[in-house]
Amino acid sequence: MSATSRIDSATPERSAPAGVPHLDVDPFSTEFFEDPHRIHDLLREAGPVVWLEKWAVYGVARYAEVHGVLNDPLTFCSSRGVGLSDFAKEKPWRPQSIILEADPPAHTRTRAVLAQVLSPTAMKGVREHFTAMATAKVDELLARGSFDAVADLAEAYPLSVFPDAMGLKQEGRENLLPYASLVFNAFGPPNQLRQKAIERSAPHQAYVAAQCQRENLTPGGFGACIHARADAGDITAEEAPLLVRSLLSAGLDTTVNGIGAAVYCLARFPDQLARLRSDPTLARNAFEEAIRFESPVQTFFRTTTREVELAGHRIGEGEKVLMFLGAANRDPRRWENPDRYDVTRRTSGHVGFGSGIHMCVGQLLARVEGEVMLAAIARKVASIEITGPVKRRYNNTLRGLESLPITISPA
Amino acid sequence: MPNITFVHPDGRAQRIDASDGESAMQTATRHDVSGILAECGGNAMCATCHVYVDEGWLARPPAMGDDEDALLDGAAAERRANSRLSCQINLAADLDGLILNLPDRQL
Ligand code: HEM
Ligand code: FES
């Protein structure tokens, strides 16, 4: 990596800061997607704050700084977008999120609504059904023996529970994954992945906008629960569909990649599958550890609201700061043997779901899905063998696979 | 440096040292106290750091926020009048000697 002070031609108005290590790595390139760990290490070791020349942004990759930025939302705000695009300078590609891309006090109100809709109490209502569906899925896959763990398990299982839990109609569900892929690509820079996704977005956007309306959501689902909060006066009738949209954007592809990560871990580390099988109550932690280990959501940006000193470096107002959640989750300053997948690790404190006021509001739902799926595997599956080429899926924010051919055998 | 005691459901008492400014949950996870899961890392979002404050200490911990109150309703173990989330109890000097009882489950 060069340490030159070249200023990227795409952003000539931004001068490169002195004193901050400059790196010319592109965290939104296929090279990076194929092997982020080597570059994460470079970013962490270069310093607590780095300057990424390619996109003219600051970056933090150590646990302490990532955690610190996440927990100072007044200085490092979300309302100017949590992608590269600065909403103060550029129009958002879709109407701005009223939770993810909001700051207190506006965020506090919308957040309270989703936190209640997805509360521990609400989870008790879905758990039994989610467990039955996971058990049936694993039985079906055991009968097949060989299959693609991405399409047939990591995608198929969340698709069999989440849209119903939301209260969506059957028709059009094939738009859900492309829409989510678009949302997470759009947080990235204006590269081909983002541009292509936005060009093709019209039908997916139209589908999602329609499903967010009250009349399209079955009573009892999470979507209807959000609309009910508008009746109670906690949000306006205009805000309710936007909060439904947040769950449709963030609630499916994330768990697909989370469950995919867990299965990929168990396939690669048979000793950990054996440990899990010997004690299926480890299922929940095995899922959590996969979130730390693979970090399905790799990055988010913040924008500085004032001049601030971060780890000894002065950062001006209106600067984008890129947080490498995946690098923080493997920072040797914070984790013992960070590159080891260990189903018994104490995972508390990982930032795979973020941290602070924006920490994933759907984390309990994600954990239910992950836990019950891994528990079914722990009880029923003796071995997982990778039987073909493993292909990576490229997305500006999400880390996961395109294809994982495996063969499983019954316990 | 304050120290605090976690009492497990089987009656076993675990006395540990806390660092200044830490929450009771952070102290517990640092010392690997088995009855505290703390899945959300202290953000008052998971209710897996639930404790029962020992009778003699009820008046001391900081007042409960709305988030904490709502979450405790969904805690896995029975909610009682002395239920708290240990991530919301910051260990100021006046909590030296605090006794927290662990529930029989967090999930
Ligand atoms: C393994 C699965 C998941 C991962 C890794 C994940 C990751 C994240 C992360 C890192 C954030 C923080 C964003 C920030 O700080 O700017 C977040 C926020 C969010 N997540 Fe998740 N998530 C997952 C599942 C879900 C599910 C299942 C839902 C909905 C049902 C959901 C809905 C949301 C929403 C609405 C936010 C915004 C919260 C706010 O801004 O206050 N997520 N998620
Ligand atoms: S650690 Fe999650 S609520 Fe306390």
Side-chain angles (χ1 to χ4, degrees), chain A residues 131-411:
Chain A
T131 306
M133 295 298 279
T135 309
K137 178 57 69 187
V138 172
D139 283 338
E140 172 208 320
L141 292 173
L142 273 168
R144 283 169 66 178
S146 298
F147 55 91
D148 190 330
V150 176
D152 303 330
L153 196 170
E155 290 180 358
Y157 175 63
L159 277 170
S160 76
V161 291
F162 179 74
D164 286 341
M166 284 297 302
L168 296 178
K169 295 191 297 197
Q170 287 296 332
E171 313 85 75
R173 290 182 180 188
E174 67 283 357
N175 283 288
L176 288 168
L177 284 175
Y179 181 75
S181 162
L182 154 73
V183 169
F184 284 97
N185 267 324
F187 293 125
N191 57 12
Q192 242 204 356
L193 277 173
R194 182 179 201 267
Q195 303 310 83
K196 277 231 171 83
I198 292 178
E199 271 165 34
R200 296 173 189 162
S201 67
H204 312 312
Q205 288 207 67
Y207 162 79
V208 166
Q211 306 322 303
C212 292
Q213 300 306 316
R214 188 166 209 163
E215 62 273 19
N216 286 323
L217 292 159
T218 330
F222 296 135
C225 290
I226 292 172
H227 281 280
R229 297 297 299 267
D231 300 338
D234 299 327
I235 44 173
T236 67
E238 292 72 42
E239 288 172 327
L242 279 172
L243 286 182
V244 177
R245 193 192 70 176
S246 289
L247 301 195
L248 296 183
S249 304
L252 185 63
D253 215 356
T254 47
T255 55
V256 165
N257 286 295
I259 292 170
V263 174
Y264 190 32
C265 284
L266 295 173
R268 278 174 296 170
F269 311 115
D271 62 317
Q272 295 303 304
L273 174 60
R275 186 76 187 78
L276 172 63
R277 290 188 59 213
S278 73
D279 180 5
T281 65
L282 288 171
R284 194 164 168 107
N285 203 57
F287 178 69
E288 202 71 27
E289 168 71 343
I291 302 300
R292 180 199 69 85
F293 190 78
E294 288 292 348
S295 301
V297 174
Q298 284 275 302
T299 47
F300 270 119
F301 288 86
R302 294 292 190 260
T303 313
T304 53
T305 56
R306 60 176 174 92
E307 187 178 302
V308 56
E309 195 174 296
L310 181 58
H313 296 288
R314 193 199 61 82
I315 298 180
E317 184 275 335
E319 297 287 346
K320 283 280 175 178
V321 179
L322 177 57
M323 305 175 292
F324 288 91
L325 307 179
N329 279 341
R330 291 189 184 212
D331 183 352
R333 293 164 191 78
R334 170 64 176 77
W335 306 97
E336 236 171 86
N337 295 322
D339 295 327
R340 190 176 139 69
Y341 174 73
D342 175 0
V343 298
T344 64
R345 181 190 297 274
R346 209 178 241 285
T347 50
S348 175
H350 79 78
V351 291
F353 287 111
S355 180
I357 63 167
H358 291 279
M359 189 187 187
C360 185
V361 75
Q363 60 184 283
L364 303 179
L365 190 68
R367 287 196 190 101
V368 172
E369 288 183 33
E371 177 193 350
V372 300
M373 176 47 77
L374 294 196
I377 290 173
R379 280 184 285 106
K380 290 171 173 280
V381 176
S383 69
I384 306 177
E385 197 196 334
I386 300 177
T387 50
V390 177
K391 279 201 228 103
R392 190 144 294 281
R393 183 172 283 173
Y394 301 138
N395 183 284
N396 282 331
T397 307
L398 293 174
R399 175 168 172 74
L401 297 176
E402 176 69 29
S403 172
L404 175 62
I406 59 172
T407 298
I408 59 176
S409 65

Side-chain angles (χ1 to χ4, degrees), chain A residues 29-93:
Chain A
S29 62
T30 50
E31 181 206 3
F32 188 88
F33 300 147
E34 285 295 343
D35 181 17
H37 306 303
R38 187 184 59 82
I39 304 175
H40 280 162
D41 194 45
L42 234 146
L43 291 163
R44 274 191 310 255
E45 297 317 311
V49 184
V50 298
W51 176 257
L52 299 171
E53 294 176 348
K54 170 92 180 168
W55 304 111
V57 295
Y58 289 90
V60 288
R62 295 183 185 174
Y63 181 86
E65 280 70 31
V66 170
H67 190 268
V69 169
L70 283 167
N71 282 281
D72 185 0
L74 297 182
T75 307
F76 301 96
C77 81
S78 292
S79 60
R80 287 170 72 168
V82 295
L84 177 68
S85 169
D86 182 352
F87 295 172
K89 298 173 182 156
E90 243 182 306
K91 187 172 175 284
W93 69 275

